Amino acid sequence: MSDFDKYFIKSEISYHPKLNFWRSHLGRDGVSLKIEIHRERDGLIIKPTIMFMHFYEDGKEIHCDKEPWDPDLNHWCVENAIRAKDPGNEALRFSLALRAAFKKPGGRFGDGIFNGVLLRTIADGPFMRHKSVSDVMRHIHRGNPTFDGQASGDCREMIEILIRDRALELLENLRYDKDQAIDILAGALGEYLDQRFSVTGRRLLGFSGTNRRLLATNDS
């Protein structure tokens, strides 16, 4: 064996030490795992997000582990069918997954095009009929931007693909039924839009509906 061979052999050891510990519990008889996302707001400030991994044996919690939010850790959890503790927490979890995913079109096309295309995509699509999304969208002033070029078309396609990827994760990896998956994904989109366009933040500052304006953060 040459010195290079270690780089060409698949290993069960993960780059993130937590995964080695979490993986060791998967498949054990009577043991199940659930993830909990904890994120607190202190006025206008949102504190760092924490992931709690709960371990159960025969329905009784035997251990709880925690780690700062990490998209790669979450992706592993989704791939291994580890659900969040409840649908509301699942929606929060997937809002963070959307934020990580949307960094790609946001970085590629810039905030201006991404924001406008995202809002148009949501407004034109079926999620606009879901209360979790419509209640947030009515507080976001969209104006009448014109995005009809190749870049906007490419951006919209990428956004649709990324939303579809999350929908399939809910349906195929986590095995929610379709109605549950729709509700969770709508909640995730509503939460993401709320944070990106500072909807709750502006309410806390006392802005009324007549003072609304599109105000985006740079986290996508």
Side-chain angles (χ1 to χ4, degrees):
M1 178 181 290
S2 74
D3 293 339
F4 294 101
D5 286 349
K6 65 179 179 180
Y7 297 109
F8 296 90
I9 299 174
K10 188 173 182 179
S11 172
E12 290 300 316
I13 299 175
S14 303
Y15 79 94
H16 199 299
K18 284 292 183 184
L19 288 188
N20 298 319
F21 175 64
W22 293 359
R23 183 188 287 114
S24 68
H25 289 76
L26 284 177
R28 287 174 48 188
D29 289 342
V31 175
S32 61
L33 285 68
K34 281 195 175 182
I35 192 170
E36 177 184 0
I37 307 301
H38 187 71
R39 185 176 63 174
E40 289 186 354
R41 178 184 287 273
D42 183 7
L44 298 176
I45 304 299
I46 296 178
K47 296 182 179 180
T49 303
I50 304 296
M51 307 169 68
F52 289 90
M53 182 63 79
H54 298 277
F55 300 82
Y56 301 89
E57 187 167 8
D58 298 326
K60 182 179 179 180
E61 186 167 348
I62 57 173
H63 183 66
C64 180
D65 199 13
K66 71 176 182 177
E67 188 74 9
W69 167 261
D70 186 304
D72 293 326
L73 283 177
N74 179 64
H75 182 67
W76 178 87
C77 291
V78 171
E79 283 191 326
N80 286 276
I82 299 172
R83 290 184 174 187
K85 67 171 187 173
D86 57 49
N89 204 249
E90 196 73 90
L92 174 58
R93 173 195 189 186
F94 268 76
S95 75
L96 295 167
L98 283 170
R99 184 178 71 178
F102 284 156
K103 286 183 178 180
K104 188 171 183 178
R108 181 179 181 87
F109 300 103
D111 284 340
I113 289 178
F114 172 74
N115 290 338
V117 173
L118 173 66
L119 293 174
R120 176 187 284 183
T121 301
I122 298 299
D124 292 345
F127 284 105
M128 192 62 180
R129 300 193 296 270
H130 198 289
K131 191 173 187 297
S132 295
V133 173
S134 61
D135 281 356
V136 177
M137 287 286 283
R138 65 190 178 90
H139 293 284
I140 302 172
H141 177 62
R142 299 189 293 277
N144 295 295
T146 301
F147 297 109
D148 295 320
Q150 182 67 42
S152 62
D154 291 344
C155 183
R156 180 168 187 144
E157 182 178 10
M158 189 178 292
I159 288 169
E160 294 274 20
I161 289 171
L162 293 171
I163 294 174
R164 183 193 66 197
D165 288 347
R166 306 291 80 72
L168 292 175
E169 286 175 347
L170 287 164
L171 197 66
E172 297 177 356
N173 295 82
L174 299 175
R175 301 184 181 90
Y176 287 102
D177 65 43
K178 191 173 183 180
D179 288 340
Q180 288 177 308
I182 289 170
D183 286 342
I184 290 169
L185 192 52
L189 282 166
E191 180 68 26
Y192 172 80
L193 291 167
D194 183 295
Q195 185 171 349
R196 177 160 183 85
F197 295 99
S198 305
V199 173
T200 296
R202 287 186 285 113
R203 286 176 179 171
L204 292 173
L205 287 171
F207 285 101
S208 66
T210 57
N211 291 324
R212 290 174 301 178
R213 64 187 181 90
L214 188 152
L215 178 63
T217 63
N218 293 316
D219 63 355
S220 70

